[in-house]
Amino acid sequence: MSVGDYVCFITRDNEEYEVIDSIGVLSAKYVDLTIGEKNWNDPDFELIVEFESVFVLENKLRLTFKREKLNSILPSVPNRIFHNGYEMFRQWILNERITRTKLGPKLIEEEELIQIIKNHCGGTYLKVRNDGSLVIKENKSELEIAQVDLNSLVEDLFDKLNQKEIELPNSANVITRKREEGDGKKSLSSKSNKSEREVNLLSKKNQKLLGLMGEEYVFNLLNERNVELFAELGIKNPDDILSVEWDNDNYKEDTANFIDKSLGHDIRVITKCKTFKLEIKTSFNNAGYYFISRNELKEMAIYAEDYYVIKVNYLSNLIRGKAPTVILENFPLANIIENLNRVKSMEVFI
């Protein structure tokens, strides 16, 4: 869930069907223990989300996987975005599905789908109450300054890379973490200290931009035949490499409208003997954790020891002409989860 996302608030009607009650637009997301303590007497309520608007539906939209039930409600929505899910839960896949694991162009824009629902159901925008019920905020100005600063730094780094004012280094500080059986459970349950977790201050656009720059950095290391990285992947002879493929290599052509083409992994290293699948996770500094999706876990389960998560920390080092830190993780997280279909995404702490 990122800034700018639409969020549907789900309740149940008098027949116990799940319905969309209202729709909000996320305007801020940050961590603040003091706000949780002051408003709810519980510092564990540390994740604070704010909405720039909330539209309350007059006629609640009942959720169903049966397309014919919604023909009169959503006539202009393509049939292909519906998928067979649970009766009480509706998932819309807004992109055309090219293959089982790959999504293509948009069938309908998210904004258009939301507007269709609003037009049919009617409703009003929730009014902000100007009384003591509002969330108590402290140091918000400092947070806003930090948010602007970090977004500016990410955009500045991209501009310098795009204008070739900064050259991607051929070096990296490589760290490998190959876990033994049983270690994966420990990594799932143990969380880093809250003070070490990086507050998510980036806009949705810059989160994507940061990730793509991290992918580009790793792709460059592989093309430059970085000896240390190859050694950690178990590639002793660079001549064994047939090709290195990156799904998003043209992202700079139109960053505003670029659609991430990767699904389950970002980069493939094809050798004479096997194919390595690499999923790249990037932090501007060091968040101490990363998110992994259901699709990535499924690929991890399939490719096992040939699947690596590569965490790029301190991409900000590029501004100072230094190499980021690259952490390779190769362990069977997917094997300790009973049903991957029940996982949307999860945090992995490092």
Side-chain angles (χ1 to χ4, degrees), residues 88-142:
M88 296 297 180
F89 178 75
R90 174 68 272 127
Q91 179 179 347
W92 291 303
I93 300 177
L94 305 186
N95 294 67
E96 180 181 1
R97 188 175 288 283
I98 298 176
T99 66
R100 184 179 63 83
T101 59
K102 198 171 186 65
L103 297 177
K106 281 285 184 70
L107 293 169
I108 187 171
E109 290 296 332
E110 191 173 2
E111 292 82 357
E112 183 180 350
L113 176 61
I114 294 297
Q115 193 58 50
I116 289 171
I117 296 173
K118 288 181 178 179
N119 290 343
H120 172 80
C121 297
T124 56
Y125 282 97
L126 190 66
K127 293 182 179 180
V128 177
R129 296 175 61 185
N130 296 315
D131 57 25
S133 66
L134 293 177
V135 170
I136 302 167
K137 301 176 185 178
E138 288 188 358
N139 300 323
K140 190 62 167 52
S141 60
E142 294 179 12

Side-chain angles (χ1 to χ4, degrees), residues 89-315:
F89 178 75
R90 174 68 272 127
Q91 179 179 347
W92 291 303
I93 300 177
L94 305 186
N95 294 67
E96 180 181 1
R97 188 175 288 283
I98 298 176
T99 66
R100 184 179 63 83
T101 59
K102 198 171 186 65
L103 297 177
K106 281 285 184 70
L107 293 169
I108 187 171
E109 290 296 332
E110 191 173 2
E111 292 82 357
E112 183 180 350
L113 176 61
I114 294 297
Q115 193 58 50
I116 289 171
I117 296 173
K118 288 181 178 179
N119 290 343
H120 172 80
C121 297
T124 56
Y125 282 97
L126 190 66
K127 293 182 179 180
V128 177
R129 296 175 61 185
N130 296 315
D131 57 25
S133 66
L134 293 177
V135 170
I136 302 167
K137 301 176 185 178
E138 288 188 358
N139 300 323
K140 190 62 167 52
S141 60
E142 294 179 12
L143 178 70
E144 289 171 343
I145 291 169
Q147 187 172 23
V148 170
D149 287 347
L150 187 55
N151 279 283
S152 298
L153 287 170
V154 169
E155 292 167 2
D156 183 59
L157 175 58
F158 170 74
D159 289 340
K160 284 182 166 56
L161 286 173
N162 197 27
Q163 300 298 325
K164 299 191 182 301
E165 295 178 25
I166 295 177
E167 294 293 333
L168 289 171
N170 301 331
S171 60
N173 304 312
V174 181
I175 302 170
T176 302
R177 299 178 65 199
K178 294 185 179 181
R179 304 184 184 224
E180 301 297 331
E181 186 177 355
D183 285 349
K185 291 183 180 179
K186 185 177 179 181
S187 75
L188 287 176
S189 61
S190 61
K191 294 189 176 183
S192 62
N193 187 290
K194 292 175 182 175
S195 64
E196 296 173 357
R197 294 182 60 181
E198 185 177 272
V199 177
N200 185 1
L201 298 172
L202 287 175
S203 67
K204 187 174 182 180
K205 179 193 75 172
N206 286 332
Q207 286 177 30
K208 180 172 74 172
L209 199 59
L210 179 65
L212 291 168
M213 288 190 288
E215 292 175 24
E216 183 182 9
Y217 171 62
V218 174
F219 183 65
N220 182 71
L221 289 177
L222 294 167
N223 278 326
E224 294 295 330
R225 301 299 194 258
N226 181 273
V227 176
E228 190 176 4
L229 181 55
F230 278 3
E232 297 301 335
L233 289 171
I235 302 173
K236 297 179 180 179
N237 185 359
D239 293 334
D240 290 339
I241 297 175
L242 301 178
S243 64
V244 178
E245 299 175 354
W246 177 31
D247 291 323
N248 295 319
D249 59 348
N250 63 336
Y251 81 97
K252 290 181 179 177
E253 293 176 6
D254 184 6
T255 55
N257 299 308
F258 183 78
I259 298 175
D260 192 330
K261 300 181 182 67
S262 60
L263 190 63
H265 68 276
D266 299 310
I267 296 174
R268 294 172 295 281
V269 180
I270 303 171
T271 71
K272 294 177 181 178
C273 301
K274 62 173 69 176
T275 296
F276 294 95
K277 298 292 184 77
L278 310 181
E279 174 62 29
I280 317 302
K281 306 292 184 181
T282 307
S283 293
F284 193 73
N285 293 305
N286 179 13
Y289 67 100
Y290 59 83
F291 285 95
I292 190 162
S293 70
R294 177 195 297 136
N295 287 325
E296 292 156 8
L297 286 168
K298 285 183 175 181
E299 291 241 329
M300 181 186 293
I302 294 170
Y303 287 93
E305 69 273 8
D306 298 330
Y307 188 100
Y308 284 80
V309 175
I310 296 183
K311 179 66 163 64
V312 179
N313 281 339
Y314 300 106
L315 194 71

